Amino acid sequence: MDLGLRQLPARARPVWRRAGRAAWHTFAGYTRGVLIVAATNAALAGIALAVLGVPLVLPLVVLEFAATLIPLIGSPIALAVAALVALAARGPVVALLVLGLIVMIGQIEGHLLHPLVLGWSVRIHPVAVALPLTGGAVLGVVLAALIAVPVVSVAWAVIGALRHDGSDDP
């Protein structure tokens, strides 16, 4: 038996076990989804930057991957750095194309990747995600913006598991 569950009364253990499983399932799904979205963004950016002949493609791809882990603001900031590199190395036309890439990847991420990849694991309304994320970003706390979505989604999964009476469990 789980060591933490021993601290609970015997009749409460199944409910909290269900809540713990829901929390872990949601967090693991969110983590896998974010890594898939970050890898996809980085691959798209890398292909486009290579086609445009922008130097330092590999470091910019790594920056894009890492920055995409910060929701909403990370990817545009990383691609803005790529646009500056393109401006310095290839001129204003290529830099403008990279700026267009920022918009295109943002649209793909926001309208295709996040709903498809994260939709199955984070089953909460987008406004419930956007409010804490925006609050953390407005306060200037990057850590709050980074952890807002998983905290809200895990909390929602735990609340749902605790409200469930278990009557239809096998």
Side-chain angles (χ1 to χ4, degrees):
M1 177 176 296
D2 300 318
L3 180 64
L5 288 176
R6 287 188 204 154
Q7 305 301 316
L8 296 171
R11 68 181 184 282
R13 290 176 189 164
V15 174
W16 284 100
R17 183 176 290 119
R18 203 169 45 245
R21 284 187 184 136
W24 179 252
H25 175 75
T26 301
F27 182 72
Y30 173 80
T31 303
R32 279 190 303 273
V34 165
L35 291 175
I36 289 169
V37 169
T40 304
N41 277 7
L44 290 173
I47 291 167
L49 292 173
V51 167
L52 293 172
V54 176
L56 302 170
V57 172
L58 185 60
L60 291 172
V61 166
V62 171
L63 177 65
E64 172 66 15
F65 178 82
T68 302
L69 299 177
I70 301 171
L72 294 180
I73 60 171
S75 180
I77 290 172
L79 289 174
V81 171
L84 289 175
V85 171
L87 179 63
R90 301 275 298 159
V93 173
V94 174
L96 286 173
L97 290 172
V98 173
L99 289 175
L101 177 69
I102 294 171
V103 174
M104 185 180 74
I105 287 179
Q107 293 300 312
I108 292 170
E109 178 185 353
H111 295 292
L112 183 67
L113 292 177
H114 275 285
L116 289 177
V117 174
L118 292 175
W120 62 270
S121 63
V122 182
R123 292 182 178 97
I124 58 176
H125 195 278
V127 173
V129 172
L131 288 177
L133 188 63
T134 304
V138 166
L139 293 173
V141 181
V142 175
L143 183 61
L146 182 64
I147 66 170
V149 176
V151 167
V152 169
S153 60
V154 166
W156 186 252
V158 168
I159 289 169
L162 291 175
R163 289 181 18 184
H164 179 69
D165 66 359
S167 60
D168 59 350
D169 285 345

